[in-house]
Amino acid sequence: MRFLTTVLVDTLLFMALSGFFPANFYVASVEMAVIAAVVLAVLNWVVKPIVTILSLPINFLTLGLFSIVINGLMLELTSAIVGAGFRFSSFWIAMLVAVLMSLVSTIIAQYFRKD
C-alpha cells in the first residue's frame, strides 16, 4: 500500500511541478508521469541505498546536504530511463524539483500520519 501511495503522490507532484515550470520540466502526459513515478520508486528502493552508502563521507562533510544532489541524480536517472516524455532542462532544475518533492511529500506524510 505504501508503494502505491508513493507512486500516486509522485505522479501528482510531477504533473503539478511540470505546470509550475513548463519551460524547465516537461512531462508529456499523465501516463508518462505514472511511469516516471514507478521508475523513481524502484530506483529509490534499489539504487539509492547503494549510492547513499558510497557517498557517506561527502554526505558527512556536507552535513547531509549532499543528499539533495543524490535525489537530483535519481530524478535525472529516471529521466534517462523514461525517455523523451519526461525531461529536465538542467541538473539544477532536477535538484529544485527534488527539494520541492521532498518538502511536499513530507508535509503530506505528516498530514496523513496515524497517531
Side-chain angles (χ1 to χ4, degrees), residues 3-115:
F3 179 79
L4 292 176
T5 305
T6 302
V7 168
L8 177 65
V9 168
D10 285 351
T11 301
L12 293 173
L13 287 173
F14 285 151
M15 294 305 296
L17 290 173
S18 69
F20 282 124
F21 305 111
N24 298 319
F25 178 38
Y26 175 72
V27 179
S29 64
V30 176
E31 292 83 14
M32 290 304 282
V34 171
I35 292 169
V38 169
V39 169
L40 181 64
V42 170
L43 286 175
N44 282 339
W45 184 60
V46 176
V47 176
K48 189 176 178 182
I50 297 168
V51 173
T52 302
I53 290 172
L54 291 175
S55 66
L56 272 178
I58 193 165
N59 212 353
F60 181 74
L61 288 174
T62 61
L63 302 174
L65 291 177
F66 192 73
S67 60
I68 297 170
V69 176
I70 293 172
N71 288 338
L73 287 171
M74 291 298 111
L75 283 175
E76 282 288 337
L77 187 57
T78 300
S79 175
I81 291 171
V82 171
F86 183 83
R87 67 178 181 268
F88 299 95
S89 63
S90 69
F91 178 69
W92 298 106
I93 295 298
M95 283 184 27
L96 175 65
V97 169
V99 168
L100 293 174
M101 287 183 66
S102 296
L103 288 173
V104 173
S105 294
T106 302
I107 291 168
I108 290 172
Q110 288 296 321
Y111 182 76
F112 289 109
R113 185 181 60 157
K114 295 178 182 173
D115 292 330

